[in-house]
Amino acid sequence: LCISLFVGFDVAADTSLDVSVNVGFDKDNSKFYKIGYLAPVQIEVDNKLKDLSGEIQIETINENNNITLYTQLINIPMNTNKKITLNVPILKFTNTMNINIVENGKIIYKKTARIVNGASSETLVIGFLSDDYESIRYIDKITAPNYSNSTNTVKLDENSFPEEQEVMKMFDVIIINNYDTAKLGEKQYNALKSWVLDGGTLIVGTGPYGAKTLNIFKDNFIAGTTGETSKIITSSLYDDETRFISAEPLELDILKLNIHEGETILKEGEMILGSKIKKGAGTIGVFAFDFGLKPLTAWIGNRDFSANIIDKLISSEVKSRWGNKGRLEGDYTMLQYALRNAPELTAPKSSTIIFLFIIYIIIAAPINYLVLKRFDKRELMWLTIPALSVIFAGIIYFVGFGTRLSEPIANIISIAKIDESGGVNHKVYAGIFNPTKSDLTIEPEEGMNLKPISFSNFYNDRNSDVQSTKVDSKVILGAKTGIEFYKTGLWSMNTVVAEMTAPIKGKLNTNLKYAKDRVTGTISNNTDYDLEELYLISANQLAIIGEIKSGDTKNIDLLMKNFYGNKYDMLNLIYKEPYAAPALSSPSKLKDAELMEYRENQQKRQVMETFLNQSAGIENSLLIGWSHTPISRKIFVNGKEVKKLEKTLVLSNAKLSFTNGNKIEYPLGYIKPELVNNSSAKNGFDQNRNVIYGNGSFEMSFKIDKTVSVEEVAIRFTVPAANVKQYIWDTKMSSWIEGQYGNMDIIQSDIEKYINQDNVLKFKFDIEDDEMQIPQIGVKGSVK
């Protein structure tokens, strides 16, 4: 028993077959991974046994506490050594992993390998790409809004850097410094870009080695130009704390950078040392110096400086997801509900069935009895009652015949994200329903990769109890993917997700202007999707655009509706709140067409809510719409193509101009505040309702574009409770001024009083066991 615990337990036909297992990424002399995320499992097989042709299996505990097998085909000749990497979800804390080698359906080798324990899902992770990893190890912490979050660092290279965005979700920050990015492959680069767009923070150090570090960024993902290297002496890297310890200026080797569309966050005179670029929900920080050279590596303030830089780059919306961000696939509870709801499948009216049962009971009991009694044939009831049962069973069968399903069916909801180049990231979620108890083998047509959705349970990921030995599913990885579910229940739903591997192209081209709460211009649908409904979301406002078929252009002139940052209020503007009206709270009273519309609206609302819960905020403007155009590839269950009920949520950024000649107008909510939580007490930010809550002090900075000459600022938020103290920063007095600011307009001489020379407006709120709406500002001005 002791030997098996510490060495591992092998079952093999011969000891000449040896398997070693490592899970996770390199961390010092160990490995690192996070519970609730995909982890790379590296398996090395040293085969001196015989020619092997079969599959290698990894046993993982799934959300049902049963076993899912992750498998890949292998072909390993005798006297060869082969390394295999499989990305698998690890949902529970464990220090062992079972590995099987199978030939012809039989396990010929089994190993219980010792692995390192995973880190908590709340751990914040920094990944390093550097040829001199040790020199930047001082960058090892992130200022977290929740004191329970710890930070860990891992080393990456071209061999270990993930090729899948799903694997990269484990990382909160990635730093590239003194590394030739040309060594990364196309899949790795695409995964990096998708990760940033989804909320990741990328930091790039340049300096003398800037050319090789920027090598791969030739597609305008980081748009700009570089110049010569030079030396400067600067004190700009100091903050108040490090300046108190030492204020000796630093001599840095810098690379001259001209970053397009970047916000300057660090400078020395007119020399830009650091720029922040917003990319989707994420950010990129590009710096003119190398983080791994002296004097930074020997500087006493380097750790605090790097933590402050990371804090400036990560948006408050992303930070708000750290405390409970749902891990592997995020919080997909609403998506599960949506997949279980198939509005296209009609059901017989319950009132009709009840009516038929009542008629049956009346005829079979009193009428049948009275008629037979009149003819003195009551003994025939043993014949008439079964006959009536058969007759009414037939009637009910034919009443429900149109809704009868005898084959598996796939209820499909896709999310298609269109990028600026017109590429479409098309992710397909499918609920597979089976009308019988049986095993299911699900395979996609070529052009789609398939895997199950793992719903990690937040409360059970620390469960170290002995798990079930029941294998209820198997995932086939490799060039041709597939999933097997065993002994599925009657009409149970098995959920899978697929990504389209063949490139899809198409764009929603926009030419839109905003002024006085109206949006005007044109939208051209150059995608393959016929959009039955389309909405424009900008800042905290919504415009209902309607239908645009593929190839059409639509002129719009619409008044935008304000939802004040509460995403649930926005959903209520699009789809009626489900329990707002008596008719909607009692779906059984609706007619067939009304019921189908009600169910479809509920389904769409749940999918939108899933997307908004996963999103780290909307930058500028977003087009979001629905299409029934079938796009996904075929899905086969047990070798037969299944019927698909399919709809797609289409997402695309929209360019909305806020300038009219020399005038500029930003609507309420367009300029997002940077939040600073000055307390370690239990408090936070609910981005879905746009509120801060709990106990403590919050500071908010609204940074208005420096090119704007501000003429008017409107401040709007719901008046909070009396136990919330409100302050505004007075730039002339350099102090906080207490007051009531929920309906304030800053004009004329007050502009210089409250908005500093960098166009920043600051608030502070002290909250005591309460919550308050985050302020929104609207800005009017002109181009400087």
Side-chain angles (χ1 to χ4, degrees):
L1 176 63
C2 292
I3 291 172
S4 69
L5 284 175
F6 291 99
V7 178
F9 180 62
D10 298 351
V11 175
D14 198 308
T15 56
S16 55
L17 184 63
D18 184 57
V19 175
S20 61
V21 181
N22 280 296
V23 180
F25 297 91
D26 287 341
K27 176 177 172 54
D28 302 328
N29 296 318
S30 184
K31 290 287 184 177
F32 176 88
Y33 62 92
K34 277 167 65 171
I35 302 300
Y37 289 83
L38 287 176
V41 178
Q42 299 103 18
I43 303 171
E44 185 173 356
V45 180
D46 188 16
N47 177 24
K48 294 183 175 63
L49 177 65
K50 63 173 184 173
D51 291 345
L52 291 176
S53 180
E55 65 181 32
I56 195 158
Q57 299 178 343
I58 299 174
E59 296 183 7
T60 66
I61 303 300
N62 58 34
E63 62 274 13
N64 300 318
N65 279 340
N66 292 325
I67 293 174
T68 295
L69 299 175
Y70 280 77
T71 74
Q72 186 167 304
L73 296 177
I74 56 171
N75 195 326
I76 308 175
M78 185 176 174
N79 295 322
T80 61
N81 182 285
K82 187 160 187 177
K83 295 180 179 179
I84 305 156
T85 299
L86 290 80
N87 296 317
V88 304
I90 302 180
L91 307 183
K92 305 283 182 181
F93 283 104
T94 181
N95 54 16
T96 61
M97 176 173 282
N98 289 339
I99 308 295
N100 308 319
I101 294 179
V102 178
E103 274 194 329
N104 300 319
K106 294 183 179 180
I107 297 177
I108 65 167
Y109 179 93
K110 186 180 184 72
K111 177 171 185 171
T112 300
R114 295 283 297 183
I115 64 173
V116 298
N117 257 319
S120 164
S121 58
E122 290 86 6
T123 304
L124 305 176
V125 183
I126 305 173
F128 293 100
L129 269 175
S130 177
D131 290 335
D132 189 8
Y133 168 64
E134 291 299 326
S135 69
I136 56 175
R137 286 287 304 280
Y138 66 85
I139 308 174
D140 61 358
K141 67 177 182 177
I142 301 173
T143 304
N146 186 337
Y147 63 89
S148 66
N149 289 81
S150 60
T151 306
N152 247 300
T153 60
V154 298
K155 180 182 178 182
L156 299 168
D157 59 24
E158 59 273 16
N159 297 314
S160 62
F161 197 88
E163 293 185 347
E164 298 180 35
Q165 181 201 350
E166 298 296 319
V167 183
M168 293 193 64
K169 283 186 175 182
M170 186 193 82
F171 296 94
D172 298 280
V173 176
I174 288 178
I175 297 171
I176 306 178
N177 189 84
N178 186 13
Y179 177 81
D180 186 0
T181 52
K183 291 188 286 188
L184 295 177
E186 183 181 358
K187 288 183 178 179
Q188 292 170 318
Y189 183 45
N190 288 334
L192 174 65
K193 291 190 291 184
S194 297
W195 170 81
V196 171
L197 293 171
D198 195 44
T201 297
L202 172 65
I203 297 176
V204 181
T206 60
Y209 305 112
K212 73 173 188 178
T213 304
L214 295 169
N215 215 338
I216 203 171
F217 301 102
K218 297 176 181 178
D219 56 356
N220 287 330
F221 193 67
I222 298 178
T225 58
T226 61
E228 298 178 346
T229 57
S230 61
K231 289 183 180 293
I232 67 163
I233 296 176
T234 179
S235 297
S236 62
L237 278 62
Y238 284 90
D239 61 12
D240 292 338
E241 291 185 20
T242 51
R243 187 174 286 108
F244 178 76
I245 300 170
S246 170
E248 288 293 324
L250 305 173
E251 185 179 40
L252 300 178
D253 292 301
I254 66 163
L255 176 68
K256 187 176 182 180
L257 295 172
N258 180 20
I259 302 299
H260 301 165
E261 300 181 357
E263 172 196 346
T264 300
I265 59 173
L266 190 65
K267 63 187 297 187
E268 176 63 39
E270 296 301 316
M271 181 68 70
I272 297 174
L273 302 182
S275 296
K276 174 181 177 179
I277 309 167
K278 291 183 178 181
K279 283 286 181 180
T283 52
I284 303 173
V286 185
F287 295 88
F289 47 84
D290 188 311
F291 288 91
L293 295 178
K294 289 184 177 180
L296 280 179
T297 53
W299 179 37
I300 193 172
N302 56 18
R303 292 183 77 245
D304 289 331
F305 164 70
S306 62
N308 289 339
I309 284 296
I310 292 173
D311 194 52
K312 287 181 179 179
L313 290 173
I314 300 175
S315 69
S316 56
E317 289 88 355
V318 169
K319 290 177 185 177
S320 73
R321 299 191 296 180
W322 282 346
N324 186 15
K325 62 180 174 182
R327 288 158 343 255
L328 186 69
E329 280 286 348
D331 182 6
Y332 279 87
T333 304
M334 284 297 176
L335 182 62
Q336 280 187 303
Y337 291 151
L339 290 172
R340 290 186 185 280
N341 177 12
E344 297 86 350
L345 296 180
T346 58
K349 294 283 268 185
S350 57
S351 57
T352 303
I353 301 299
I354 292 170
F355 175 76
L356 287 172
F357 271 112
I358 292 172
I359 295 298
Y360 164 71
I361 290 169
I362 292 173
I363 293 176
I367 294 179
N368 184 34
Y369 173 80
L370 292 173
V371 169
L372 292 176
K373 180 181 178 182
R374 178 171 185 137
F375 292 101
D376 198 21
K377 299 287 185 180
R378 284 177 293 177
E379 67 276 9
L380 294 180
M381 286 186 71
W382 68 270
L383 179 63
T384 57
I385 288 179
L388 287 169
S389 297
V390 170
I391 292 169
F392 274 87
I395 293 171
I396 290 174
Y397 175 83
F398 284 106
V399 167
F401 187 80
T403 65
R404 178 177 172 270
L405 292 172
S406 58
E407 299 289 341
I409 193 167
N411 192 24
I412 292 177
I413 295 171
S414 301
I415 296 181
K417 295 181 180 179
I418 303 173
D419 63 27
E420 293 179 0
S421 66
V424 182
N425 180 351
H426 199 276
K427 187 169 282 190
V428 180
Y429 299 93
I432 309 295
F433 295 90
N434 188 31
T436 60
K437 290 185 177 181
S438 64
D439 295 343
L440 295 181
T441 298
I442 304 172
E443 298 172 299
E445 184 185 13
E446 185 177 352
M448 281 202 314
N449 285 330
L450 202 63
K451 64 180 181 179
I453 296 181
S454 293
F455 294 92
S456 176
N457 188 324
F458 182 80
Y459 299 101
N460 288 340
D461 61 3
R462 292 172 177 77
N463 188 348
S464 58
D465 295 339
V466 177
Q467 310 296 339
S468 168
T469 58
K470 176 185 176 183
V471 177
D472 65 11
S473 53
K474 174 179 168 182
V475 180
I476 303 162
L477 303 175
K480 184 173 175 58
T481 60
I483 304 175
E484 297 175 2
F485 293 100
Y486 305 125
K487 297 180 180 178
T488 62
L490 183 68
W491 283 116
S492 61
M493 182 179 75
N494 296 286
T495 312
V496 299
V497 60
E499 288 187 345
M500 308 281 276
T501 57
I504 301 174
K505 291 286 185 180
K507 289 186 74 173
L508 290 171
N509 292 323
T510 59
N511 182 13
L512 301 171
K513 285 184 175 293
Y514 173 89
K516 298 180 180 179
D517 291 332
R518 298 193 75 85
V519 59
T520 57
T522 60
I523 299 175
S524 298
N525 182 2
N526 296 321
T527 73
D528 291 334
Y529 305 97
D530 285 331
L531 297 168
E532 291 93 10
E533 49 186 281
L534 184 65
Y535 308 93
L536 173 68
I537 304 169
S538 181
N540 294 328
Q541 293 183 311
L542 169 76
I544 300 175
I545 295 167
E547 179 184 29
I548 305 182
K549 291 189 177 297
S550 175
D552 286 356
T553 296
K554 189 167 187 175
N555 295 312
I556 64 170
D557 182 357
L558 296 169
L559 180 68
M560 300 196 76
K561 303 177 180 180
N562 205 319
F563 54 88
Y564 298 101
N566 189 322
K567 294 176 183 177
Y568 300 112
D569 288 343
M570 185 197 76
L571 290 171
N572 292 341
L573 291 173
I574 297 174
Y575 304 111
K576 291 180 180 179
E577 211 286 326
Y579 305 109
L584 294 180
S585 62
S586 304
S588 60
K589 299 178 181 178
L590 301 177
K591 297 178 180 178
D592 288 346
E594 293 173 332
L595 180 60
M596 181 176 176
E597 181 184 6
Y598 166 79
R599 290 176 60 195
E600 186 166 10
N601 285 345
Q602 283 294 87
Q603 184 186 51
K604 291 176 178 178
R605 180 189 178 97
Q606 289 161 347
V607 177
M608 281 192 178
E609 187 172 333
T610 298
F611 166 74
L612 293 170
N613 287 344
Q614 293 294 311
S615 172
I618 296 168
E619 297 294 336
N620 196 336
S621 303
L622 176 73
L623 289 169
I624 182 167
W626 284 99
S627 174
H628 282 82
T629 303
I631 295 293
S632 67
R633 304 289 191 266
K634 297 176 182 178
I635 294 177
F636 300 91
V637 175
N638 296 341
K640 292 183 179 181
E641 182 184 351
V642 298
K643 178 182 177 181
K644 299 184 300 180
L645 308 174
E646 185 171 1
K647 57 179 66 70
T648 301
L649 180 69
V650 180
L651 307 161
S652 175
N653 288 327
K655 292 183 178 179
L656 183 59
S657 173
F658 298 98
T659 62
N660 185 11
N662 191 48
K663 293 295 182 181
I664 297 176
E665 180 183 354
Y666 294 130
L668 286 170
Y670 176 76
I671 300 173
K672 306 292 184 185
E674 290 188 3
L675 299 181
V676 178
N677 184 352
N678 293 328
S679 173
S680 61
K682 187 176 180 181
N683 49 32
F685 161 46
D686 184 343
Q687 65 169 347
N688 292 319
R689 295 190 298 125
N690 197 45
V691 299
I692 48 178
Y693 58 86
N695 287 286
S697 177
F698 293 83
E699 289 185 26
M700 300 180 195
S701 297
F702 291 88
K703 295 183 177 180
I704 305 167
D705 192 329
K706 292 181 181 180
T707 63
V708 177
S709 178
V710 180
E711 297 169 1
E712 182 179 341
V713 177
I715 304 165
R716 300 289 183 269
F717 58 93
T718 303
V719 177
N723 56 349
V724 176
K725 294 182 179 180
Q726 308 174 36
Y727 304 88
I728 193 170
W729 181 257
D730 189 314
T731 61
K732 292 184 177 180
M733 298 177 62
S734 295
S735 63
W736 293 108
I737 307 298
E738 186 175 357
Q740 300 293 320
Y741 305 109
N743 192 30
M744 178 182 180
D745 292 313
I746 302 175
I747 58 174
Q748 299 175 355
S749 61
D750 284 343
I751 296 291
E752 293 184 2
K753 182 178 180 181
Y754 297 118
I755 297 173
N756 67 20
Q757 60 183 4
D758 292 323
N759 268 8
V760 178
L761 172 67
K762 294 169 65 175
F763 293 96
K764 184 175 73 169
F765 299 95
D766 293 338
I767 301 178
E768 183 181 343
D769 287 327
D770 214 320
E771 68 177 31
M772 66 163 286
Q773 188 182 64
I774 292 177
Q776 299 177 72
I777 69 168
V779 177
K780 293 181 180 179
S782 58
V783 179
K784 286 185 180 178

